[in-house]
Amino acid sequence: LVRVRVVDGRMRAICRQVRHGDMPHDYHELLLAKDGKGGFRIEDVYFHGSGRWMSRRLREMYLRMLAEADKDLVGKLQGQEAEFVRALPLLEQFETMDPQGPYPEAVELFRALPAALQKDKIYLTHLFMMAVVAGAKEARAVAEEFSAAYPNDPCLDLYLLNASNPSTTGEEILA
């Protein structure tokens, strides 16, 4: 536990996950709610590294399962959910690309995604990790794109810290 803070009148406990083996550095923010017995319960969890609330991640997993079971699902959805389901074939290709794989193909797939998904933190993160492997110039370009979409977001610092390519350092990317 790092600290407890209040955001929009709601208590949040911030916890740090320290790098261990394959687990990267990360921060988790626990949205707390009173449980009616004088204590608190966890209502949701925000993972800073992926930029996702657990509730959203579960919803996306559920939409993927529904889309698999019901091919006509997209016609029943509206807005972001419909856009997400329509983009699933591209998303699945992009998400399953080998981070060590061909970076130009990753960029091409990423740019084929709807604009809203290109600004989504989890997909920008995936592109950034692939860019780190490709080189400092590529990583710098994605870091700038990330910073434009998420100004002052500390996640970029986490990504730089977790950069797995020993030949590319955070300092090289930010130079």
Side-chain angles (χ1 to χ4, degrees):
L1 177 67
V2 175
R3 69 184 170 116
V4 176
R5 68 182 184 149
V6 177
V7 177
D8 297 328
R10 305 284 308 272
M11 285 186 49
R12 296 182 182 196
I14 301 173
C15 303
R16 180 183 307 125
Q17 172 184 299
V18 179
R19 186 177 202 139
H20 179 72
D22 290 342
M23 299 292 289
H25 294 285
D26 200 355
Y27 287 85
H28 303 163
E29 205 158 322
L30 311 177
L31 181 61
L32 303 175
K34 292 187 177 184
D35 67 3
K37 299 176 187 173
F40 291 91
R41 63 179 172 80
I42 298 171
E43 192 170 273
D44 208 345
V45 180
Y46 182 79
F47 299 97
H48 282 262
S50 65
R52 286 280 191 277
W53 285 100
M54 176 64 81
S55 57
R56 179 173 173 195
R57 180 68 181 134
L58 291 172
R59 184 168 188 79
E60 288 173 352
M61 289 170 51
Y62 184 65
L63 281 171
R64 286 175 191 252
M65 288 187 296
L66 283 175
E68 182 80 23
D70 182 357
K71 300 300 180 196
D72 297 324
L73 177 67
V74 75
K76 302 170 188 171
L77 298 172
Q78 297 178 11
Q80 288 181 329
E81 290 177 341
E83 186 173 59
F84 176 79
V85 170
R86 274 194 296 276
L88 277 176
L90 285 174
L91 278 175
E92 288 169 357
Q93 277 184 277
F94 179 68
E95 291 172 328
T96 57
M97 288 191 79
D98 181 355
Q100 309 289 326
Y103 183 68
E105 288 179 27
V107 171
E108 186 177 328
L109 270 174
F110 182 78
R111 297 296 174 219
L113 293 172
L117 292 176
Q118 288 183 39
K119 291 196 182 321
D120 192 296
K121 192 182 285 188
I122 202 162
Y123 306 119
L124 268 172
T125 300
H126 190 64
L127 184 65
F128 178 75
M129 293 307 175
M130 294 180 83
V132 166
V133 173
K137 178 183 171 191
E138 292 83 354
R140 188 176 310 111
V142 179
E144 288 172 5
E145 187 173 350
F146 186 96
S147 292
Y150 300 95
N152 304 316
D153 190 307
C155 288
L156 188 57
D157 294 331
L158 285 173
Y159 302 151
L160 294 171
L161 182 64
N162 292 324
S164 60
N165 186 344
S167 65
T168 304
T169 66
E171 290 79 21
E172 288 175 316
I173 293 168
L174 292 176

